[in-house]
């Protein structure tokens, strides 16, 4: 799933898979998923299915992991 994570989370049904992966993954696995997603987080957040999958995933992330996502979005705020 890692190589195509941004595509999966923006898919009609894939948007449900990524939050489930986050829920049942270890902290290290969630960090790996976030590292792969970070470069594409702006596009994912702007996509209707992607934003839903991203929002649902947030509940399973630690504060540090949420900060990682926020840092990935920061350069695009106001753009």
């Amino acid at each position: 799933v890692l190589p195509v994570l941004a595509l999966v989370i923006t898919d009609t049904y894939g948007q449900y898979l990524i939050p489930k992966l986050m829920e049942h993954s270890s902290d290290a696995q969630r960090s790996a998923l976030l590292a792969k997603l970070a470069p594409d987080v702006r596009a994912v957040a702007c996509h209707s299915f992607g934003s839903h999958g991203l929002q649902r995933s947030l509940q399973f992330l630690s504060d540090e992991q949420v900060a990682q996502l926020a840092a990935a979005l920061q350069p695009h705020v106001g753009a």
Side-chain angles (χ1 to χ4, degrees):
V1 174
L2 279 178
V4 291
L5 190 62
L7 289 175
V8 172
I9 200 168
T10 57
D11 181 73
T12 307
Y13 300 104
Q15 66 173 319
Y16 300 107
L17 174 66
I18 302 307
K20 282 296 182 185
L21 279 175
M22 296 289 190
E23 180 180 6
H24 297 287
S25 296
S26 70
D27 227 25
Q29 291 168 325
R30 280 192 290 274
S31 291
L33 288 167
L34 289 177
K36 185 64 179 171
L37 188 59
D40 301 311
V41 73
R42 179 184 181 203
V44 169
C46 291
H47 191 279
S48 59
F49 297 137
S51 66
H52 178 262
L54 207 51
Q55 288 174 33
R56 289 200 24 131
S57 295
L58 287 175
Q59 65 185 320
F60 305 112
L61 302 179
S62 68
D63 291 342
E64 182 181 307
Q65 291 166 332
V66 171
Q68 257 186 290
L69 276 181
L73 280 172
Q74 185 62 37
H76 305 291
V77 174

